[in-house]
Amino acid sequence: MLRGNWFRLRPRERGCVEVQAVGDEYGRFFSLLKRLSDSFGVSGFEDEIRSIVVEELREVADELRVDRFGNVIAVKRGSRGAPKVLWDAHMDEIGFLVKHVDEKGFVYLYPIGGWSPRVLPGQRVRILAEDGSIVRGVIGVKPPHLLSPEEKDKVIPIDKLFVDIGVTSREEAEKLGVTVGRPVDLDREAVRLAGTRVTGKAFDDRVGVAVLIEAFRLLDGQEPSVYLVVAVQEETGLKGARVASQVLQPDAAIAVDVTPTDDVPGASGPRSTELGKGPVIELADGRSGSGLISHPVMVKLLEETAKELGIGIQKEVLGGGTTDGAIIALAGRGVPTVTVSVPTRYIHSPVELLDLKDAVATVKLVARATEKITADWYARNLEEKRIK
């Protein structure tokens, strides 16, 4: 059981920090993103990714803890009586659990999160065994020579897919620690493509985690206290953020996630989000607004900050899907919340793809906008107003 202990870190001397990063900002950001992306962290089994997040935040946070649910919460203290701002990104990734191992040692899968079965046949996977070791396997697929005419155009449902780990019996699989309930992710490595574009697994939402770690490093001497929540189990119902936001009771919140783009061949409907055009402010998401409707004051704050920094932004009304922002907004007496997303192609696949320029711009946007949430600004724009 994880304990909710706080770790008191060395106090820092405060002073102004330039928002503009120095050196190879894209290369440095990719190094962090790759470390996060390549790690194992299926919802409910976030131990490896969590340890990396703690390591990255240990020296820059004033307070740092892992709560009983598994969320990492880092704090940068502001001025006494200043607003409490929550930043959120989720560390978990979609994956699978082992559902069944048959007598020949073939492994069947139970999906965790929203998979399309079209992308799975022929993929390599990693199974986290009972002793913590990794067992590799492949999702088996019939060669075209053996397909019947009826099978050629069929999508195989997930419950019919199987993983071949190279054994010949259930007993061999169990000796390797492959048993019912063990988590499974895809065996992929993040790599750079041309220019500033990169591809890998679990950019949803490891890029959000990387953005907020880097933004957290930029903060120094800000008036508001910033609570960075790196949440677990977003992909299975926004669970970690629900727990953390109810405990922290923030005054305002910014959630950072990814959003799908429609700038690829075959995309239908009007084009609204593209790679390389900047962060995306999510105005509303979920089915018919059932997710988050971003608070207009928080939207305006991001718009004004982006203009000040010379950062291009995009706006979106997303018809399906939502983020932790939807549940954070409902904490306590209500939390003015906005979601800002990094545009990403091929979400919920092994080959998610984004532009580092959009991610680095999001770092600067979130850090600078948060600095503006002073006590005076909050009183004028967001504080409860007693009418009578």
Side-chain angles (χ1 to χ4, degrees):
M1 177 68 72
L2 290 164
R3 303 291 182 184
N5 294 331
W6 288 86
F7 299 94
R8 296 286 177 180
L9 305 182
R10 296 192 304 271
R12 298 171 295 112
E13 292 186 5
R14 297 192 180 274
C16 294
V17 171
E18 179 62 35
V19 169
Q20 178 66 41
V22 296
D24 181 12
E25 58 186 342
Y26 299 135
R28 189 174 66 252
F29 185 90
F30 177 68
S31 294
L32 173 59
L33 175 59
K34 176 176 172 60
R35 189 179 183 211
L36 297 169
S37 170
D38 290 354
S39 66
F40 194 100
V42 174
S43 299
F45 296 86
E46 297 97 341
D47 290 358
E48 182 181 350
I49 178 66
R50 179 168 42 242
S51 66
I52 294 171
V53 171
V54 167
E55 182 182 337
E56 291 288 339
L57 291 171
R58 184 181 295 274
E59 294 302 318
V60 293
D62 294 321
E63 302 169 16
L64 182 64
R65 69 169 166 132
V66 176
D67 70 15
R68 288 183 296 180
F69 202 70
N71 302 303
V72 175
I73 303 174
V75 183
K76 279 204 174 179
R77 292 188 295 269
S79 302
R80 185 180 297 275
K84 181 190 296 185
V85 180
L86 187 152
W87 288 357
D88 168 272
H90 69 90
M91 71 176 85
D92 62 310
E93 64 185 299
I94 60 173
F96 307 91
L97 299 182
V98 172
K99 185 177 182 180
H100 173 65
V101 182
D102 72 14
E103 66 279 0
K104 291 186 177 180
F106 292 110
V107 177
Y108 290 81
L109 301 173
Y110 171 86
I112 297 294
W115 280 107
S116 169
R118 297 175 303 136
V119 303
L120 294 174
Q123 296 291 338
R124 291 203 311 262
V125 300
R126 302 185 299 181
I127 302 172
L128 184 63
E130 291 181 342
D131 64 357
S133 63
I134 291 293
V135 177
R136 285 182 160 84
V138 296
I139 298 179
V141 58
K142 273 188 182 182
H145 318 70
L146 303 181
L147 291 174
S148 68
E150 295 77 20
E151 291 175 314
K152 286 184 178 179
D153 297 320
K154 277 189 174 181
V155 175
I156 306 171
I158 291 176
D159 63 355
K160 302 299 182 187
L161 295 173
F162 60 86
V163 176
D164 188 338
I165 61 172
V167 300
T168 59
S169 68
R170 180 185 294 124
E171 290 71 26
E172 283 185 75
E174 290 176 347
K175 284 181 180 178
L176 292 175
V178 177
T179 57
V180 172
R182 299 313 304 163
V184 184
D185 79 346
L186 295 181
D187 191 3
R188 284 285 181 144
E189 177 187 6
V191 296
R192 295 192 71 160
L193 302 178
T196 52
R197 298 194 172 176
V198 299
T199 183
K201 74 170 182 70
F203 286 178
D204 178 9
D205 183 32
R206 305 288 166 75
V207 69
V209 176
V211 161
L212 291 184
I213 289 173
E214 289 297 294
F216 203 69
R217 289 183 175 129
L218 288 180
L219 292 177
D220 205 358
Q222 80 291 339
E223 184 174 327
S225 291
V226 177
Y227 288 71
L228 169 53
V229 174
V230 185
V232 296
Q233 297 191 46
E234 187 267 0
E235 296 289 0
T236 56
L238 318 181
K239 296 171 184 173
R242 180 192 299 265
V243 171
S245 59
Q246 291 292 351
V247 171
L248 295 174
Q249 300 280 298
D251 297 305
I254 300 174
V256 179
D257 212 312
V258 298
T259 193
T261 66
D262 45 13
D263 59 350
V264 295
S268 60
R271 180 167 295 180
S272 60
T273 53
E274 302 180 55
L275 295 191
K277 297 294 181 68
V280 179
I281 299 176
E282 303 290 349
L283 303 177
D285 59 30
R287 303 292 179 188
S288 304
S290 60
L292 175 69
I293 299 177
S294 287
H295 196 289
V297 171
M298 297 295 289
V299 170
K300 184 178 179 182
L301 174 65
L302 290 180
E303 291 173 336
E304 292 175 347
T305 304
K307 185 176 181 180
E308 173 191 311
L309 294 174
I311 292 173
I313 56 171
Q314 307 178 73
K315 298 179 186 177
E316 179 179 49
V317 174
L318 183 63
T322 190
T323 72
D324 279 341
I327 204 68
I328 292 167
L330 303 180
R333 296 180 297 167
V335 182
T337 301
V338 63
T339 294
V340 57
S341 295
V342 179
T344 304
R345 292 175 180 168
Y346 325 126
I347 288 173
H348 284 208
S349 85
V351 291
E352 296 175 344
L353 190 153
L354 57 81
D355 195 317
L356 294 171
K357 291 186 293 185
D358 297 325
V360 170
T362 308
V363 172
K364 300 170 186 177
L365 177 62
V366 171
R368 179 66 79 198
T370 300
E371 289 175 347
K372 295 182 176 183
I373 305 178
T374 63
D376 179 65
W377 181 92
Y378 196 87
R380 286 185 287 107
N381 292 281
L382 290 174
E383 190 58 85
E384 281 188 14
K385 294 177 174 63
R386 187 181 181 103
I387 304 303
K388 187 175 180 180

